[in-house]
């Protein structure tokens, strides 16, 4: 049976070129970049090359970039690091109700440490209002954190406008953006967008798991949260994951070299899929569609069918999707994003997420739509109303 992988917001398949490069580095250029001999220098050169590629994409300096183990660690380092470095200036932080647990749980931790957190609401499409964000900023606010692209419904937050609005109210406030779902699918230039701290993750862009990126703007003060050998200027101790770093940089380059064509392809696949499933009764697409939404995320509520049942029925046909957000599926809960946008209670448990990548084809989407057309009426017959 052909595998149709439509859970790319959970993780992606490695690009073959990336897997090859990683294999070469693990087998040939495996030195520790801190070593003084030739093997160390070779590894150090891989690091430098990767930083240059990523710096070019983000239009920043290589010195603005730090590598971590994942998007979660990048978010933790940005938020906890900023809170600790700026505690004397204030103890108030702002975020939104629809952030990923990597941000929400970090904020909860800080609440326990005596910080005060404001959680901004979103509208029915999951969008944060720049004006509301600015209104929430106070003299003692040290950081605002808003995601670039929501992982559950694909809302594209107006980050540039939010950055400008909060800085106009209080120029000292730091702006953190979780771009784990946006990096690789959108042009992101932190400096131009008033972003001080930006998190990204390798495994969402066809690089392996175990590598994350944090952009830290010039003159932005954050404390390290890991202590050790002082690698990466002491900001993130621990021997660098050279192969992962090089792999992430290559994956990003492959995506950004052809971004416009890839976006055209992803939006076209999304559009035809939505048109076809919307023609079925009792289907609802959550959030905006078209270019106002993320190119790769489709949140679909299927009236009268439990998401988990539909997920496994699709799996029987070799089609892999997720229910709600895969990143938190080991802790059953009602999706914070779906609740925040006012999804009716009866649909909370009936929502699946279909997330695509450039490795998918139109045939994949047609097969998924055909499977839904076949399965949904059948499953509805067996669901008690
Ligand atoms: N932030 C968002 C928006 C995500 O979607 C995810 C993962 O799904 C993360 C953070 C966490 O990234 P990682 O899995 O690399 O820790």
């Amino acid at each position: 049976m052909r595998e149709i992988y439509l859970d790319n917001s959970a993780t992606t398949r490695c690009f073959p070129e990336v897997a090859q490069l990683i294999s070469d580095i693990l087998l040939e250029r495996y030195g520790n970049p801190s070593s003084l001999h030739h093997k160390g220098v070779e590894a150090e050169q891989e690091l430098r090359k990767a930083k240059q590629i990523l710096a070019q994409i983000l239009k920043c300096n290589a010195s603005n970039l730090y590598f971590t183990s994942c998007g979660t660690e990048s978010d933790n380092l940005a938020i906890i690091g900023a809170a600790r470095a700026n505690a004397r200036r204030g103890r108030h932080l702002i975020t939104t109700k629809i952030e990923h647990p990597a941000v929400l749980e970090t904020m909860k931790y800080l609440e326990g440490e005596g910080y005060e957190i404001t959680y901004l609401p979103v509208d029915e499409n999951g969008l944060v209002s720049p004006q509301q964000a600015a209104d929430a900023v106070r003299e003692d606010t040290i950081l605002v954190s808003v995601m670039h692209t929501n992982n559950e419904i694909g809302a594209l937050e107006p980050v540039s406008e939010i950055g400008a609005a909060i800085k106009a109210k209080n120029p000292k406030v730091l702006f953190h953006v979780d771009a784990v779902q946006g990096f690789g699918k959108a042009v992101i230039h932190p400096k131009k967008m008033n972003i001080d701290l930006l998190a990204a993750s390798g495994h969402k862009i066809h690089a392996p798991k175990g590598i994350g990126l944090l952009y830290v703007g010039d003159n932005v003060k954050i404390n390290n949260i890991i202590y050790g050998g002082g690698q990466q200027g002491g900001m993130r101790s621990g021997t660098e994951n050279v192969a992962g770093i090089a792999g992430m940089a290559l994956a990003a380059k492959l995506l950004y070299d052809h971004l416009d064509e890839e976006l055209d392809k992803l939006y076209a696949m999304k559009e035809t899929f939505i048109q076809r499933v919307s023609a079925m009764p009792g289907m609802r697409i959550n959030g905006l569609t078209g270019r106002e939404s993320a190119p790769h995320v489709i949140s679909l509520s299927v009236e009268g069918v439990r998401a988990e049942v539909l997920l496994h029925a699709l799996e029987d046909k070799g089609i892999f999707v997720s229910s709600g957000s895969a990143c938190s599926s080991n802790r059953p809960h009602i999706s914070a994003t779906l609740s925040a946008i006012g999804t009716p209670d009866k649909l909370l448990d009936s929502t699946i997420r279909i997330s695509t990548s450039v490795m998918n084809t139109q045939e994949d989407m047609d097969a998924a739509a055909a499977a839904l057309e076949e399965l949904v009426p059948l499953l509805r017959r067996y669901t008690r109303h």
Side-chain angles (χ1 to χ4, degrees), residues 259-275:
L259 187 65
D260 287 343
E261 293 147 61
E262 283 153 8
L263 290 181
D264 286 347
K265 173 182 161 169
L266 291 175
Y267 278 118
M269 292 197 303
K270 180 169 173 172
E271 190 62 30
T272 49
F273 178 84
I274 287 179
Q275 267 183 12

Side-chain angles (χ1 to χ4, degrees), residues 9 70-72 75 100 102 147 151 178 180-181 201 203-204 327:
S9 286
C70 58
T72 301
D75 285 333
H100 186 274
M147 70 202 322
N151 49 303
D178 173 347
V180 168
Q181 294 290 341
S201 177
H203 76 104
K204 310 286 187 181
C327 284

Side-chain angles (χ1 to χ4, degrees), residues 25-26 29-51 67 229-232 236-246:
I25 291 175
L26 293 178
R29 299 185 292 286
Y30 51 80
N32 183 327
S34 297
S35 294
L36 297 178
H37 49 68
H38 175 63
K39 294 311 284 181
V41 173
E42 262 178 6
E44 167 64 22
Q45 279 168 349
E46 288 293 343
L47 276 188
R48 204 170 315 151
K49 201 160 81 188
K51 270 195 186 181
F67 297 104
Q231 289 91 342
Q232 304 196 60
R236 206 289 192 166
S237 283
T239 302
E240 295 89 340
N241 174 359
V242 180
I245 291 167

Side-chain angles (χ1 to χ4, degrees), residues 65-141:
L65 302 178
Y66 297 92
F67 297 104
T68 65
S69 65
C70 58
T72 301
E73 188 192 329
S74 296
D75 285 333
N76 272 255
L77 172 57
I79 297 167
I80 298 173
R84 288 186 185 157
N86 296 282
R88 250 194 267 156
R89 196 160 60 70
R91 293 189 144 243
H92 177 233
L93 293 88
I94 298 170
T95 190
T96 80
K97 291 187 174 169
I98 63 162
E99 298 298 312
H100 186 274
V103 169
L104 284 181
E105 293 296 317
T106 305
M107 292 292 180
K108 249 194 232 164
Y109 160 75
L110 286 177
E111 267 175 333
E113 295 288 295
Y115 290 82
E116 186 188 342
I117 317 291
T118 298
Y119 297 90
L120 297 171
V122 293
D123 70 10
E124 71 278 11
N125 292 313
L127 298 179
V128 176
S129 143
Q131 186 60 50
Q132 268 186 343
D135 288 347
V137 170
R138 316 187 306 216
E139 192 50 39
D140 63 340
T141 305

